[in-house]
Structures are given as structure tokens and as C-alpha cells.
Amino acid sequence: LLTSDRLMVRLIAAYGFVSFGNGSVFAAVVLFLTSSTERHGLGMSEAETGIAFTILGITGFVCQVSFYNWSVRDFGLRFVLRVGISIMILSSVFMPISEMLLKTASPEFRAHNEWLKWCLIAPGIGLQGAGIMFCLPVLTTVLSNAARPDIQGLTQGTAQSISSLLRGLGPITMGSAFTLTYHIHAPAISFALLGIAYSVTLM
């Protein structure tokens, strides 16, 4: 029933890719933040990593309660979905670039000016918080609206099953990619994979 509807197949596939991306992003961020600067990470402590995730959570919460409803009402689901996915792609590019920009400063300057690290990383983390809150809720609504009433349960069940599987594969893929490429440039490669996963959703 579902495979005969090309639109539904595309929506379920998009739902799966977004779920994979959302499952991967937290692993990628943690590995990036806590990796040493010699391995192209930011070398953050446990407390700093906690602060970074607090920023991510607050940004996502603010976007959800302040911008989600009116943006969907004024611009439509499809536009908001594309914006959310574009934000996730942008954040995947910005995160490794922030480390490269940080490296342009001397070690002495970085050691005495902690604010520089936060100025560079906060926009990327904030974008991820916003993107996560825009992507999956909108896609869930689009999928529900597109499904025929008589197969609504089948559609949602199939989408959730695929979503759960790919969301679980996200951390496995990210962890493996990071492990295999840590001696090259693990953050850039890992976030590139993440960006590709979100980019496929736009096709």
C-alpha cells in the first residue's frame, strides 16, 4: 500500500534521514567538543560540555515555544521544514570551521581569552538546537497530513519503526566514523556525513 505511493515513500525516507541525523548530532557534538585540540576538537572539560548542551537545549526550547507556531502558520510546513534542514546543514559546516578559526589564534591568546572559543562555537550549537526543533515536528505533521485516512496507522507505524532504527544507527555511525578518521580530521569528516544525511532530505 505504501510503496505504491511515491510521495509517501519519499516522506518516510525523509523522516528516516532526519531521524538518523538527529540521532547522530549529539554524538558528533560530544566527540567534537571533548576531543583534544591536537585532534581538531575543542578540548572542552565536562563542565564546558554541559554548558554547551545547555545552550543547545535553551535555543531549541525558545524556538519551539516562540517561533514554531507562527512560522508554520505564516510560511507553511514545507517552507519551515526546508529552513530547519538548511539550518542543520549550515551547523554541520559551521562546527568544524569554528575549530579552524580558533586555531588561527595563538595558544597563548586562546589560553587567556576563553570567550573566543565560546563566541565561535555558540552560533553552531544554537543553530543545531533550532534546527532539531524545526525538522522532526514539521516532518511528522507533513507525513500525517499526506497519509490516507484508511492507512494512517500503517503510515505512522512504518515511519516510526524506520525512524527508531535509523536514530539508533546514528550514534553507531558517528562513533565509528570518528574512530576511523581521528588521525586525519575526524570532526570535519563526521559533520560532513551529518550534512549529507540532512541534504538527502531536501532532494
Side-chain angles (χ1 to χ4, degrees):
L1 289 174
L2 292 178
T3 54
S4 61
D5 189 333
R6 293 186 62 185
L7 174 61
M8 196 56 57
V9 170
R10 289 182 62 187
L11 286 174
I12 291 176
Y15 194 83
F17 279 113
V18 169
S19 297
F20 173 83
N22 287 359
S24 303
V25 68
F26 296 111
V29 171
V30 169
L31 290 168
F32 173 58
L33 295 181
T34 57
S35 292
S36 66
T37 53
E38 290 78 14
R39 295 298 184 187
H40 303 287
L42 293 184
M44 284 189 170
S45 66
E46 295 88 342
E48 289 175 321
T49 304
I51 293 171
F53 271 90
T54 300
I55 294 172
L56 189 152
I58 290 174
T59 306
F61 177 78
V62 169
C63 287
Q64 182 78 9
V65 301
S66 302
F67 303 114
Y68 180 79
N69 287 333
W70 73 260
S71 60
V72 169
R73 183 182 64 249
D74 292 350
F75 300 107
L77 289 168
R78 179 176 294 184
F79 177 83
V80 174
L81 176 61
R82 288 184 176 276
V83 168
I85 293 171
S86 299
I87 288 174
M88 292 306 294
I89 295 170
L90 183 62
S91 71
S92 299
V93 174
F94 192 85
M95 292 292 275
I97 288 178
S98 65
E99 180 268 337
M100 298 175 192
L101 293 174
L102 186 63
K103 284 285 183 68
T104 61
S106 67
E108 293 78 14
F109 185 84
R110 296 199 303 266
H112 293 91
N113 295 275
E114 284 289 316
W115 57 267
L116 178 62
K117 175 168 59 180
W118 287 105
C119 286
L120 291 172
I121 197 63
I125 293 174
L127 285 172
Q128 286 184 333
I132 289 171
M133 287 303 141
F134 278 125
C135 285
L136 209 55
V138 174
L139 196 50
T140 301
T141 305
V142 171
L143 189 64
S144 178
N145 291 344
R148 285 172 18 207
D150 57 320
I151 57 169
Q152 186 73 237
L154 174 64
T155 303
Q156 294 294 339
T158 302
Q160 290 297 330
S161 297
I162 294 174
S163 171
S164 298
L165 175 64
L166 292 179
R167 190 164 53 246
L169 287 175
I172 296 173
T173 304
M174 237 1 80
S176 300
F178 213 92
T179 301
L180 293 172
T181 62
Y182 77 94
H183 59 291
I184 306 172
H185 200 312
I189 294 172
S190 299
F191 280 110
L193 292 174
L194 191 59
I196 290 170
Y198 284 110
S199 297
V200 171
T201 310
L202 292 175
M203 296 180 180

